[in-house]
Amino acid sequence: MKKPFVAGNWKMNTDSHTSIELAESIASGSLEFAGRRVHVAVIPPFVYIPAVVKALGTSSIAVGAQDIYTEPQGAFTGEISASMLKDIGCNYALCGHSERRHVIGETDELINKKVSASVSGGLLPILCVGELLEERQAGRTNEVITRQINSDLAGLSAEKVSAVTLAYEPVWAIGTGQTATPQQAQEVHALIRKLLGEMYDNQLAEEIRILYGGSAKPDNAADLMHQPDINGLLVGGASLNAHDFIAIIKSLSE
Ligand code: 13P
């Protein structure tokens, strides 16, 4: 049994005070569960990462970044590398989040390089995939997920891929309150595992964690987690509320 994993993506929210308050509340409220029964990570905006790492103190909550750049250093104004993030206490990096794909315009080719650079720089990537509403309505979900998985992991060795956590985040479920049903999520998670088995091998596919994200909340977390191929949750809105995020962590520990 893989230990369930819950990560809170704070997106472009909080400030220098509320990021610390939120981190401290999550750390103190999840002491019994975090680390032991559930693996927990928070993913604050870049600028608050050092303060959040400090606020989490000796708790077993890991910290991630919302994005990284493909190169380790150099003349790339405005970008932040995996080694810099590792240096300030990050363990994880989101790659290919839906907002970066659809608002910022990141391509699968760029995301592929980011996944690779994360692992090379000592970070554990959380690679996000997911279809748009119109793609689902046109019956193209499997085709879109297959393309994303194949291109985003292209050329990565089995050893590199074993450091990756996958996250299925249907775009139509993000921030909309419209969660995918546990069955809809399970179908895509099973597809992702099958694709990983074809690209690598069944053992690797079995060991990789696949999270669900998209309006995950305390009242739907347990149902989603009962699905055989869902190994955890990537939480947006509900992770900004310590009470809700702790309730999700608790429900994953049961
Ligand atoms: P919401 O939980 O707000 O729908 O966001 C999901 C998400 O994008 C997490 O990365």
Side-chain angles (χ1 to χ4, degrees):
M1 265 292 273
K2 284 178 277 291
K3 198 187 280 186
F5 182 18
V6 58
N9 175 10
W10 296 359
K11 307 194 180 183
M12 201 173 74
N13 294 295
T14 70
D15 61 27
S16 59
H17 301 289
T18 55
S19 57
I20 294 172
E21 270 168 27
L22 184 56
E24 285 174 348
S25 305
I26 293 168
S28 60
S30 66
L31 264 186
E32 271 178 72
F33 316 98
R36 259 179 280 172
R37 283 187 277 165
V38 189
H39 188 65
V40 182
V42 293
I43 311 179
F46 285 127
V47 290
Y48 304 131
I49 290 173
V52 166
V53 167
K54 192 162 166 231
L56 291 171
T58 56
S59 89
S60 54
I61 298 176
V63 179
Q66 297 177 16
D67 187 29
I68 68 148
Y69 193 56
T70 55
E71 303 301 320
Q73 66 193 39
F76 304 101
T77 302
E79 296 297 338
I80 296 181
S81 71
S83 58
M84 291 173 179
L85 292 166
K86 178 95 187 138
D87 183 37
I88 57 167
C90 271
N91 296 109
Y92 290 93
L94 291 182
C95 297
H97 188 276
S98 126
E99 286 136 26
R100 298 214 57 90
R101 290 178 189 266
H102 301 294
V103 183
I104 316 287
E106 288 193 4
T107 61
D108 283 310
E109 195 188 356
L110 179 65
I111 294 161
N112 173 242
K113 288 186 187 154
K114 290 187 171 188
V115 175
S116 183
S118 299
V119 185
S120 304
L123 293 182
L124 302 167
I126 302 175
L127 169 62
C128 307
V129 297
E131 80 287 2
L132 297 163
L133 181 61
E134 53 268 34
E135 292 167 336
R136 175 162 283 267
Q137 285 170 340
R140 294 183 47 226
T141 301
N142 289 6
E143 172 201 323
V144 171
I145 301 297
T146 304
R147 189 202 70 228
Q148 291 175 339
I149 294 286
N150 284 327
S151 358
D152 299 347
L153 297 178
L156 265 80
S157 65
E159 199 191 336
K160 271 195 161 179
V161 169
S162 62
V164 177
T165 297
L166 269 297
Y168 169 53
E169 297 207 304
V171 181
W172 47 272
I174 297 178
T176 59
Q178 197 197 337
T179 319
T181 64
Q183 292 69 28
Q184 283 174 323
Q186 166 57 27
E187 270 174 31
V188 177
H189 282 232
L191 167 70
I192 294 172
R193 223 178 277 290
K194 176 171 147 285
L195 293 168
L196 292 168
E198 288 163 4
M199 291 169 80
Y200 299 94
D201 59 62
N202 287 339
Q203 193 190 336
L204 184 144
E206 206 35 61
E207 284 168 3
I208 276 192
R209 284 183 302 202
I210 310 176
L211 316 182
Y212 167 79
S215 300
K217 296 195 172 57
D219 62 1
N220 58 29
D223 279 351
L224 287 160
M225 282 304 292
H226 284 142
Q227 299 302 312
D229 287 302
I230 300 186
N231 309 120
L233 299 171
L234 181 53
V235 185
S239 73
L240 292 169
N241 177 307
H243 181 266
D244 284 353
F245 193 57
I246 293 162
I248 293 174
I249 297 170
K250 274 191 195 165
S251 79
L252 264 60
S253 76
E254 278 155 8

